[in-house]
Amino acid sequence: MSGLSPLDRFNQLSDEEAAAQLLAVCHSRRWAKEMAAGRPYADLAALQRAADEVWLGLGPEDWLEAFAAHPRIGEAGGASADWSRQEQAGVGGDTDVQERLARGNADYEARFGHVFLISAAGRDAPEILAALTERLGNDPATELRVAAEEHRRITRLRLERLMAQ
């Protein structure tokens, strides 16, 4: 498969290999399986459109499965730790903000039953803390939709990185 673009190589993978790569991006087994079955994709835009459509067609149980793989904001770990470290590059620094993020994460998880998700790329810790604080005021149904939208954004960024390898 030498000389092929990353997308062309991806399109030529077996369903199982493609699903494994996609699972590392999104952490929803159903999403990964449906995306792998939708190949070949003509270009990155087509891949991204399909990713959005499949994600938005999933239900809360699939979203929660994907959320569970994410580390808490400001912490390393979880199934998506490598991706998350890059995405959360702006979160380090101020100890006070880090402590407030840790408390906010705990409050959020107690209220909503899943990790706080935010597309952290390009955001610093105070911006993330402000979003976390604001979203604690959401009702559970609203927050599930907000977290799913944030996860959709995270997935788009990760797909871009996967296709750039």
Side-chain angles (χ1 to χ4, degrees), residues 8-105:
D8 289 335
R9 287 193 305 271
F10 173 75
N11 281 332
Q12 292 182 6
L13 295 174
S14 70
D15 285 349
E16 294 77 23
E17 292 169 322
Q21 285 190 7
L22 292 164
L23 189 59
V25 166
C26 179
H27 302 290
S28 162
R29 288 173 294 185
R30 185 169 154 211
W31 181 88
K33 184 177 178 182
E34 288 185 29
M35 289 294 298
R39 290 170 309 133
Y41 297 103
D43 54 30
L44 181 58
L47 178 67
Q48 295 284 25
R49 278 191 305 276
D52 290 347
E53 289 171 14
V54 172
W55 179 253
L56 295 172
L58 299 179
E61 64 281 351
D62 300 301
W63 295 342
L64 292 171
E65 175 189 24
F67 297 173
H70 286 268
R72 288 176 186 91
I73 197 81
E75 293 182 10
S80 63
D82 289 340
W83 296 103
S84 295
R85 260 195 274 340
Q86 294 172 342
E87 294 159 357
Q88 294 184 27
V91 177
D94 187 321
T95 304
D96 178 59
V97 173
Q98 293 299 318
E99 290 172 2
R100 291 169 59 203
L101 274 171
R103 285 192 305 272
N105 281 331

Side-chain angles (χ1 to χ4, degrees), residues 94-135:
D94 187 321
T95 304
D96 178 59
V97 173
Q98 293 299 318
E99 290 172 2
R100 291 169 59 203
L101 274 171
R103 285 192 305 272
N105 281 331
D107 293 345
Y108 182 96
E109 289 175 36
R111 177 157 168 71
F112 299 114
H114 59 81
V115 69
F116 172 70
L117 283 171
I118 189 167
S119 181
R123 293 183 174 161
D124 64 18
E127 289 173 301
I128 293 169
L129 179 59
L132 172 57
T133 302
E134 180 181 326
R135 286 173 50 190

